[in-house]
Amino acid sequence: MKMMKKEGLGWIELIRGWSCVIHEFLFQRFMASHLQNPLPLPSLNHLTCIVTGSTSGIGRETARQLAEAGAHVVMAVRNTKAAHELIQQWQNEWSGKGLPLNLEAMELDLLSLGSVVGFCNVWNARLSPLHVLINNAGIFAMGEEQKFSKDGYEQHLQVNHLAPALLSLLLLPSLIRGSSSRIINVNSVMHYVGFVDPDDMNVVSGRRKFTSLVGYSGSKLAQVMFSNVLLKRLPQETRISVVCLSPGIVLTNVARDLPRYVQVQYALIPYFIFSPQEGCRSTLFSATDAQIPEHCEKLKTDDKPICTFISQDCKHTKPSEEAHNIETANRVWEKTMELIGLPLDALERLIEGQEVQCRYGTHQE
């Protein structure tokens, strides 16, 4: 007997999912009360980190704090002028505290998969090791109508999932050189209310009504599912950890897209909402905690088809029930590879150091 195709989350799953979202909103400050702000970091002089979307919000704080701890930080951003201005500002503020900060800006537009390929080609051509890739950039165009990138994909899907997936895969040669490196995906508690139909990832079939919430939560769930499969498929000898995390509910530039009356409500509830400095703690923890690689290795050999998921209070937690769906996750993997223009065996070939053709440009070593 053929199984009926799942068209969305059931009522019980939705109730559980929304209870997780509400719980995080109401209690995140209490749950994270044991954390210092800012989060103390060890010396990171040996690390090279790429941080996407690092001119505002969580990404901006992440880049600054990593650099102040000694890391070489690459700000991968659309607006390199804004990044250079920030770098100058940070250097001035840091003056006299130690060696100049090791920061640079590189252009990357996640709404263009061709830009992702170009960025990876420029970076990989250096033949330098990459120790930490932080896929931080994301969008949540609350209340807006459905929009598509020039590549033809729904904007939440492309920025929050497809572009970071392509970036992570094409940077594998540099991550392997990093030896014990990490792919860190800034995800969201909203993935608990997300649903992904691998046959309709753009949400255009009409089977589900598109809203910005559907687009955002679905893209975040797709990222977790893809990360689950990626961790399982990476051979142990690559020594690459894959982590998804929730930064908590944070007052960032996402709020600028909110309707005016919601922005007002946002401003009235600062007690519950994290500042970007508080919101970046789970990212910094995921990037630097010494136990993360060991935890990832354990999950890789475990029966559970999940990657490491770090909650906003810097503790290990589990992604949503739907994220545990192995069959859907494998289909999301295959569909993602198709959408980002890579062959299904791209992962294996990239690990072996072979050149891979991408529909959006040639990936070069």
Side-chain angles (χ1 to χ4, degrees):
M1 184 175 141
K2 193 178 176 185
M3 290 276 290
M4 278 188 68
K5 185 179 173 183
K6 190 171 181 178
E7 298 287 352
L9 296 183
W11 281 109
I12 293 173
E13 291 170 303
L14 274 172
I15 290 167
R16 283 181 185 152
W18 278 112
S19 69
C20 288
V21 174
I22 293 164
H23 184 268
E24 180 153 303
F25 174 73
L26 292 176
F27 300 109
Q28 63 176 11
R29 193 166 290 284
F30 172 74
M31 290 158 64
S33 59
H34 64 286
L35 297 176
Q36 288 178 255
N37 185 41
L39 193 75
L41 296 177
S43 171
L44 304 177
N45 294 330
H46 58 296
L47 291 189
T48 294
C49 310
I50 291 175
V51 186
T52 68
S54 41
T55 52
S56 66
I58 298 167
R60 174 174 168 163
E61 275 296 320
T62 301
R64 183 180 63 80
Q65 291 187 46
L66 288 172
E68 288 182 357
H72 169 209
V73 178
V74 180
M75 300 173 71
V77 296
R78 263 189 313 180
N79 186 346
T80 52
K81 182 174 180 287
H84 283 124
E85 287 171 359
L86 267 180
I87 290 170
Q88 189 59 55
Q89 178 191 325
W90 291 341
Q91 295 288 19
N92 292 340
E93 291 168 356
W94 186 253
S95 181
K97 296 182 185 176
L99 292 171
L101 302 178
N102 190 357
L103 286 148
E104 66 173 306
M106 288 178 67
E107 188 175 348
L108 173 65
D109 181 3
L110 297 182
L111 278 168
S112 163
L113 295 178
S115 173
V116 175
V117 177
F119 175 92
C120 294
N121 286 342
V122 171
W123 176 261
N124 286 329
R126 298 184 182 188
L127 300 178
S128 301
L130 174 61
H131 304 99
V132 185
L133 169 62
I134 300 178
N135 288 310
N136 164 81
I139 59 166
F140 188 1
M142 286 194 197
E144 289 190 15
E145 60 186 36
Q146 194 168 17
K147 291 180 184 172
F148 298 87
S149 71
K150 63 182 180 184
D151 299 315
Y153 303 127
E154 193 279 314
Q155 62 177 353
H156 295 93
L157 179 71
Q158 174 144 341
V159 173
N160 298 341
H161 169 52
L162 296 179
L166 182 59
L167 188 67
S168 300
L169 290 172
L170 296 187
L171 288 176
L172 280 176
S174 292
L175 287 161
I176 290 168
R177 281 188 209 102
S179 187
S180 194
S181 53
R182 309 182 188 198
I183 297 170
I184 311 293
N185 296 314
V186 179
N187 200 261
S188 170
V189 71
M190 294 299 292
H191 90 270
Y192 282 89
V193 294
F195 179 78
V196 183
D197 180 352
D199 299 320
D200 184 30
M201 289 179 73
N202 263 339
V203 196
V204 291
S205 68
R207 288 194 295 271
R208 289 183 296 150
K209 184 181 185 317
F210 178 86
T211 64
S212 53
L213 178 63
V214 165
Y216 179 76
S217 60
S219 68
K220 289 298 187 181
L221 175 61
Q223 183 179 59
V224 177
M225 288 180 158
F226 186 87
S227 300
N228 292 345
V229 179
L230 177 59
L231 178 69
K232 286 288 185 183
R233 293 196 178 196
L234 282 169
Q236 287 203 354
E237 57 267 25
T238 62
R239 300 182 68 202
I240 298 174
S241 302
V242 182
V243 182
C244 289
L245 66 95
S246 169
I249 296 169
V250 185
L251 188 59
T252 68
N253 273 7
V254 163
R256 73 185 168 199
D257 298 321
L258 298 175
R260 182 69 196 143
Y261 70 92
V262 182
Q263 286 192 42
V264 171
Q265 290 173 328
Y266 240 60
L268 291 174
I269 43 179
Y271 175 76
F272 295 103
I273 294 181
F274 281 168
S275 67
Q277 189 179 65
E278 293 168 317
C280 75
R281 291 179 298 192
S282 52
T283 304
L284 294 171
F285 175 85
S286 300
T288 61
D289 181 66
Q291 307 304 315
I292 293 281
E294 185 186 322
H295 191 80
C296 284
E297 286 305 317
K298 185 170 175 290
L299 286 174
K300 190 190 285 285
T301 54
D302 204 359
D303 291 337
K304 296 172 189 167
I306 56 172
C307 69
T308 298
F309 197 98
I310 302 295
S311 58
Q312 42 74 30
D313 55 353
C314 297
K315 292 180 179 175
H316 293 271
T317 187
K318 291 179 182 175
S320 70
E321 289 176 56
E322 187 66 14
H324 286 70
N325 188 324
I326 305 174
E327 185 187 345
T328 304
N330 284 326
R331 288 178 60 222
V332 164
W333 171 273
E334 290 171 6
K335 190 66 181 179
T336 298
M337 298 298 274
E338 178 190 322
L339 296 179
I340 61 179
L342 289 178
L344 265 180
D345 63 349
L347 175 67
E348 292 72 25
R349 285 165 57 185
L350 286 163
I351 288 168
E352 288 167 14
Q354 298 176 23
E355 189 175 282
V356 168
Q357 288 288 332
C358 175
R359 190 164 71 242
Y360 298 95
T362 303
H363 171 57
Q364 298 161 343
E365 262 294 295

